[in-house]
């Protein structure tokens, strides 16, 4: 943990009082009485940061004692992979720059009298570049979906509507200013270590299917043969920015754990907030859309409603651009569909490699031997529990067939 992070972790009451008064509008606050630091997210939810909730008892000027809370994100060098990732991508600087951009977009919303909710939380304090303090959305009724659940149709339609608004507002802001250099590349496109594990996870899946599923699957998965070099070259090509197409600031890590949801009286989702802007990227909006559809959405819902989901996203994007009087070229629905087809390799390989792990996040350390996986290049190191067919075959079987037909036929 860095010196700044240590200091922030032990943030004293005077600083918290200043933050609450200056950035949270707590003008009636007299003093912070006590602070409790507790984990804000579950196991294996946050890879790049330690995320905690600061629960505070606060004395108001009228003598009342109330509860307040904030979220604190810290950079921690817990392993070599984290340290190398931070040095290369400077994730906290990216997030701070993005929150600065989002604050400017809020002024844009006021200018165009956009009465809809913002789609992010507020950054209330930061220490460059290892600590970010944010408002606690839980206090406003927003929650992460259950760790073993994925978005149903109601959730995904609200999510892509929100994503269309987010992209539209970012694009409108973009034409008024300069995109920070930190937003110009995406971590997954040129990161060989990630490509290695994608390839190994795919090999692990095929071995698990041959070992545990019905024997009729064996000749199918044996046709899926791909090298780390091939994965790298495909992803490297994705990094080439096509300036003839519509490009936006992407969230960059748009999976279900980075989308908080508020529910109405009937338990249906009514509002969403995006969090964790450490991997922001400028490029095709279909990067975010692909990532969301394959990392956040129930696979059956995705497959059965794909066209409806794309239309919902496109309508939201274009309506937002029109609301903000955007004068540039707007993508038609066919451009979005073409973009989704272009990135379908990325979506399918991420889904096939990561979905088994997403189903078992809380037990992942027990089910994977990372050193053995690397030593055997994916042939060993995975527990059978990751690949039991009872749930997994229904979830990913059709996508195994789609992956094979699109890229190995």
């Amino acid at each position: 943990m860095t010196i700044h992070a240590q200091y922030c972790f032990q943030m004293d009451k005077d600083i918290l009082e200043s933050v609450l008064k200056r950035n949270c509008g707590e003008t009636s606050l007299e003093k912070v009485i006590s602070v409790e630091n507790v984990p804000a997210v579950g196991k294996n939810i946050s890879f790049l940061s330690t995320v905690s909730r600061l629960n505070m008892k606060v004395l108001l000027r009228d003598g009342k004692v109330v509860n307040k809370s904030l979220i604190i994100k810290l950079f921690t060098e817990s392993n070599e992979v984290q340290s190398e990732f931070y040095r290369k991508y400077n994730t906290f600087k990216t997030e701070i720059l993005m929150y600065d951009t989002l604050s400017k977009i809020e002024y844009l919303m006021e200018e165009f009298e956009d009465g809809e909710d913002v789609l992010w939380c507020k950054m209330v304090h930061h220490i460059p570049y290892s600590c970010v303090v944010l408002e606690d959305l839980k206090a406003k009724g927003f929650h992460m979906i259950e760790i073993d659940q994925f978005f149903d149709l109601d959730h995904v339609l609200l999510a892509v509507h929100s994503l269309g608004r987010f992209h539209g507002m970012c694009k409108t802001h973009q034409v008024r200013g300069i995109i920070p250099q930190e937003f110009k590349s995406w971590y997954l496109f040129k990161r060989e270590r990630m490509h290695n594990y994608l390839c190994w996870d795919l090999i692990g899946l095929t071995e698990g299917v041959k070992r545990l599923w019905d024997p009729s699957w064996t000749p199918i998965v044996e046709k899926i043969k791909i090298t780390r070099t091939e994965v790298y070259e495909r992803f490297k090509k994705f990094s080439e920015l096509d300036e003839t197409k519509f490009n936006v600031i992407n969230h960059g890590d748009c999976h279900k754990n980075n989308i908080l949801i508020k529910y109405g009286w009937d338990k249906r989702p009514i509002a969403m907030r995006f969090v964790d802007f450490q991997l922001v990227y400028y490029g095709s909006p279909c990067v975010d859309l692909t990532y969301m559809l394959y990392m956040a959405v129930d696979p059956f819902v995705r497959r059965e409603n794909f066209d409806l989901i794309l239309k919902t996203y496109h309508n939201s994007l274009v309506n937002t651009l029109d609301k903000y009087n955007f004068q540039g070229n707007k993508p038609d629905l066919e451009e979005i569909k073409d973009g989704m087809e272009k990135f379908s390799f990325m979506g399918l390989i991420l889904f096939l490699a990561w979905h088994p792990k997403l189903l078992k996040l809380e037990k992942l350390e027990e089910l994977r031997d990372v050193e053995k996986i690397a030593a055997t290049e994916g042939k060993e190191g995975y527990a059978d529990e990751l690949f039991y067919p009872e749930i997994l075959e229904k979830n990913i079987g059709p996508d195994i067939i789609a992956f094979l037909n699109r890229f190995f036929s």
Side-chain angles (χ1 to χ4, degrees):
M1 188 180 292
T2 65
I3 293 175
H4 274 165
Q6 287 177 338
Y7 173 72
C8 196
F9 189 79
Q10 300 167 350
M11 188 176 288
D12 63 39
K13 296 173 186 177
D14 290 340
I15 294 177
L16 287 172
E17 288 169 10
S18 176
V19 168
L20 288 168
K21 290 176 181 177
R22 185 178 70 251
N23 292 320
C24 300
E26 301 292 348
T27 55
S28 63
L29 183 145
E30 181 65 29
K31 68 176 182 177
V32 174
I33 300 171
S34 65
V35 183
E36 179 190 24
N37 188 304
V38 298
V41 297
K43 192 176 181 182
N44 294 322
I45 296 296
S46 179
F47 168 71
L48 299 177
S49 315
T50 297
V51 186
S52 301
R53 176 172 283 109
L54 300 179
N55 292 323
M56 296 167 282
K57 287 193 178 297
V58 172
L59 176 66
L60 304 181
R61 289 176 182 168
D62 62 4
K64 293 179 181 178
V65 176
V66 297
N67 296 322
K68 299 290 180 182
S69 60
L70 293 169
I71 298 296
I72 183 169
K73 294 179 66 173
L74 304 174
F75 165 59
T76 51
E77 296 185 82
S78 61
N79 58 60
E80 179 188 345
V81 176
Q82 267 188 329
S83 300
E84 184 265 338
F85 196 101
Y86 177 81
R87 288 193 298 270
K88 186 169 184 178
Y89 297 101
N90 209 339
T91 50
F92 273 81
K93 183 176 182 181
T94 297
E95 183 158 36
I96 290 166
L97 287 171
M98 187 60 191
Y99 272 112
D100 180 63
T101 299
L102 294 174
S103 68
K104 294 172 183 175
I105 291 176
E106 290 183 33
Y107 289 118
L108 197 66
M109 294 176 71
E110 292 180 8
E111 177 184 339
F112 284 89
E113 299 180 343
D114 185 348
E116 291 194 67
D117 287 345
V118 296
L119 295 167
W120 47 84
C121 66
K122 183 178 181 181
M123 180 177 71
V124 298
H125 185 63
H126 72 273
I127 299 175
Y129 289 110
S130 59
C131 172
V132 177
V133 183
L134 307 163
E135 68 171 323
D136 186 2
L137 290 174
K138 185 177 180 181
K140 293 186 175 182
F142 289 88
H143 302 275
M144 190 185 301
I145 196 170
E146 292 295 327
I147 192 170
D148 60 346
Q149 299 296 310
F150 295 86
F151 289 171
D152 62 14
L153 187 58
D154 285 340
H155 283 78
V156 68
L157 292 181
L158 178 58
V160 295
H161 171 78
S162 301
L163 187 64
R165 284 188 60 217
F166 175 75
H167 284 164
M169 288 188 284
C170 286
K171 186 66 176 181
T172 306
H173 171 72
Q174 174 204 326
V175 300
R176 297 185 169 203
I178 299 172
I179 302 168
Q181 188 64 36
E182 285 77 6
F183 297 175
K184 291 297 180 102
S185 62
W186 196 45
Y187 81 105
L188 201 53
F189 287 157
K190 295 183 179 180
R191 185 168 168 77
E192 289 188 63
R193 186 193 293 264
M194 294 288 290
H195 303 156
N196 290 346
Y197 275 96
L198 280 176
C199 190
W200 296 337
D201 286 347
L202 196 60
I203 292 170
L205 172 65
T206 60
E207 293 297 319
V209 168
K210 288 191 290 184
R211 195 165 58 247
L212 301 166
W213 292 23
D214 186 271
S216 61
W217 278 100
T218 296
I220 296 173
V221 296
E222 282 182 340
K223 295 177 183 178
I224 300 177
K225 298 184 184 300
I226 191 164
T227 67
R228 287 177 288 166
T229 301
E230 289 176 285
V231 174
Y232 175 76
E233 291 301 325
R234 282 184 177 272
F235 274 82
K236 183 180 177 182
K237 193 166 183 62
F238 290 147
S239 71
E240 298 170 2
L241 185 65
D242 186 350
E243 293 286 9
T244 68
K245 302 294 185 182
F246 183 83
N247 295 296
V248 299
I249 295 174
N250 283 259
H251 177 281
D253 197 13
C254 214
H255 65 77
K256 66 188 182 78
N257 295 335
N258 287 332
I259 302 172
L260 302 189
I261 307 155
K262 188 174 185 176
Y263 295 92
W265 63 270
D266 57 357
K267 307 300 183 184
R268 297 179 68 178
I270 59 173
M272 287 189 171
R273 296 285 190 274
F274 297 108
V275 298
D276 198 351
F277 292 94
Q278 295 187 327
L279 299 173
V280 173
Y281 155 73
Y282 180 74
S284 169
C286 295
V287 173
D288 263 356
L289 194 54
T290 297
Y291 203 77
M292 176 185 285
L293 264 57
Y294 286 92
M295 293 292 101
V297 181
D298 180 281
F300 180 82
V301 171
R302 164 174 50 83
R303 292 189 293 259
E304 291 297 307
N305 300 278
F306 196 78
D307 287 343
L308 173 61
I309 291 168
L310 296 194
K311 287 178 184 177
T312 303
Y313 167 79
H314 179 258
N315 287 341
S316 176
L317 172 66
V318 172
N319 289 341
T320 302
L321 293 170
D322 289 342
K323 178 186 290 186
Y324 284 87
N325 197 27
F326 177 71
Q327 298 299 306
N329 293 326
K330 306 179 187 75
D332 59 20
L333 183 57
E334 287 307 308
E335 181 174 331
I336 299 300
K337 288 182 177 180
D338 289 346
M340 295 301 289
E341 179 61 31
K342 173 183 175 181
F343 290 103
S344 62
F345 176 86
M346 180 186 82
L348 283 166
I349 196 170
L350 287 175
F351 176 72
L352 295 179
W354 289 355
H355 189 74
K357 294 184 288 187
L358 291 176
L359 291 172
K360 302 289 182 179
L361 269 182
E362 292 185 316
K363 300 174 60 178
L364 206 51
E365 286 90 350
E366 304 169 27
L367 302 178
R368 294 172 75 241
D369 184 332
V370 177
E371 292 183 1
K372 185 178 284 188
I373 291 170
T376 64
E377 298 191 344
K379 293 181 180 178
E380 298 178 23
Y382 300 92
D384 284 353
E385 187 178 337
L386 283 167
F387 307 120
Y388 287 153
E390 287 75 16
I391 295 176
L392 202 60
E393 183 175 354
K394 173 179 67 72
N395 282 10
I396 74 173
D399 288 301
I400 291 176
I401 301 296
F403 191 56
L404 179 64
N405 290 340
R406 287 190 187 190
F407 303 107
F408 298 94
S409 58

